[in-house]
């Protein structure tokens, strides 16, 4: 199933910050993107034979 621009997605397991590109600095060492976080697909890039997705996540404070 391919995702489209502006689709909503949710994390099924925690994602370590080392795998993320962050816009704001991490406040706590060892922080993870928690399971169940909902984000929005903001870009879809075709790379070789697969697609790459840019997903934006924000907390209740807009960070």
């Amino acid at each position: 199933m391919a995702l489209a621009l502006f689709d909503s997605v949710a994390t099924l397991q925690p994602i370590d910050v080392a795998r993320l590109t962050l816009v704001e600095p991490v406040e706590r060492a060892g922080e993870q993107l928690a399971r169940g976080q909902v984000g929005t697909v903001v870009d879809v890039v075709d790379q070789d034979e697969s697609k790459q997705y840019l997903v934006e996540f924000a907390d209740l404070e807009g960070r």
Side-chain angles (χ1 to χ4, degrees):
M1 174 177 96
L3 297 172
L5 201 58
F6 304 120
D7 278 354
S8 293
V9 297
T11 57
L12 298 177
Q13 56 189 313
I15 300 173
D16 191 272
V17 294
R19 297 189 60 207
L20 305 173
T21 301
L22 303 174
V23 175
E24 295 184 9
V26 176
E27 295 176 5
R28 295 178 302 272
E31 188 173 337
Q32 297 179 335
L33 184 60
R35 178 177 166 255
Q37 294 293 306
V38 177
T40 303
V41 176
V42 295
D43 197 11
V44 180
V45 178
D46 287 315
Q47 185 146 358
D48 301 322
E49 296 180 12
S50 65
K51 292 188 182 277
Q52 304 270 329
Y53 301 96
L54 176 61
V55 179
E56 184 174 279
F57 293 91
D59 62 14
L60 295 175
E61 297 176 10
R63 295 179 293 162

